[in-house]
Amino acid sequence: VLEVFGPERRPVTILTRYGDLSFTPSEISYGQPFHPTGFGRDVVVERVPTPTLVTGTDSEDDQPALLRTRSGHYWLAWITYKTIDRQGHRYTGADRVMIARSRDGRSWEQITPLTPPGDHFRVALAEDNYGRIWCVYGLQKKVGTGNFDLYARVFNRNSWSDEQQLTTSPLPDIFHRLTSDARGNLYLV
C-alpha cells in the first residue's frame, strides 16, 4: 500500500521493476478503482478523501454517525466520554452526545454538546421529508438499572428541539439504527 499526498491536479508517476505507471488524482473518481494498463489486476489506484480530525484530544470519542443531507451538507454525531473525577484507580465520568456540521465535509463548524453528561449509548442521524435533522440516541436515565431508552432531538433549520423520549420498554433499547427513504420517511429499528 502506497499513500500519495499532493495537489489533485499534479500527475503522479510510480516507477516499478515491471514498468512505470502515471495518473492524475483529479481524473480518478472517488469510489471508482483505476487499474493502470499493463499490470492486469495487480495494481489498483483508489482516490480517497484525506482524513480530517473533527473531535478533540481531551476526551474519548466513539460510535460516530455521519449524514449527508439532500442539500449536500454533512452532519456528524458521536458519543464522547470524559473523566470527571479520579480517586486512585477509581474513575468517575460521563458520556455526552456531540454534534458538528459541515458544508463540504472538510471544514467543520463548532462542535456542540447535544446532551448534558449522562450514560449514553449509540447515536444515529437521518433527515426527514421536511429537511429536519433527527439525532436519536440511547440514554440510561436511572444509572445502574441497565434500562436504556431511545431519545431524539430534532434540528429545524435554526435550533435543536427539546429532548423527546421515543421508547419506554423496561428492557434496554440499544443497537438502534435510523434511516430515511427517498421521500424522507424515517425508519427506526
Side-chain angles (χ1 to χ4, degrees), residues 1-158:
V1 174
L2 174 66
E3 293 182 22
V4 178
F5 295 94
E8 295 177 334
R9 299 192 188 288
R10 179 182 293 160
V12 175
T13 300
I14 299 173
L15 310 175
T16 75
R17 71 174 97 173
Y18 304 107
D20 304 341
L21 63 107
S22 295
F23 61 91
T24 302
S26 63
E27 296 173 359
I28 299 173
S29 299
Y30 288 106
Q32 298 296 318
F34 167 65
H35 297 275
T37 56
F39 292 92
R41 308 232 3 124
D42 292 335
V43 175
V44 63
V45 177
E46 293 185 43
R47 185 175 176 203
V48 297
T50 304
T52 302
L53 181 63
V54 178
T55 64
T57 57
D58 61 338
S59 60
E60 299 173 37
D61 304 307
D62 60 3
Q63 303 175 15
L66 180 65
L67 170 69
R68 183 171 189 262
T69 65
R70 290 187 294 278
S71 66
H73 296 161
Y74 295 86
W75 287 86
L76 176 65
W78 66 96
I79 304 292
T80 188
Y81 174 83
K82 190 167 188 174
T83 300
I84 297 171
D85 184 41
R86 177 180 176 191
Q87 295 178 3
H89 296 291
R90 183 180 172 99
Y91 290 85
T92 304
D95 301 314
R96 292 181 98 166
V97 174
M98 306 297 282
I99 195 144
R101 67 177 167 175
S102 170
R103 297 195 186 287
D104 59 9
R106 293 181 184 178
S107 58
W108 294 85
E109 295 178 16
Q110 181 178 357
I111 295 171
T112 305
L114 200 56
T115 64
D119 192 6
H120 299 85
F121 185 76
R122 296 260 170 123
V123 63
L125 293 170
E127 179 183 17
D128 70 13
N129 58 339
Y130 298 106
R132 297 177 302 187
I133 307 303
W134 286 72
C135 181
V136 176
Y137 48 92
L139 173 60
Q140 181 179 212
K141 287 264 186 178
K142 295 179 183 172
V143 177
T145 65
N147 181 25
F148 285 80
D149 288 311
L150 297 181
Y151 293 83
R153 293 194 60 193
V154 181
F155 186 79
N156 192 5
R157 307 214 188 278
N158 299 321

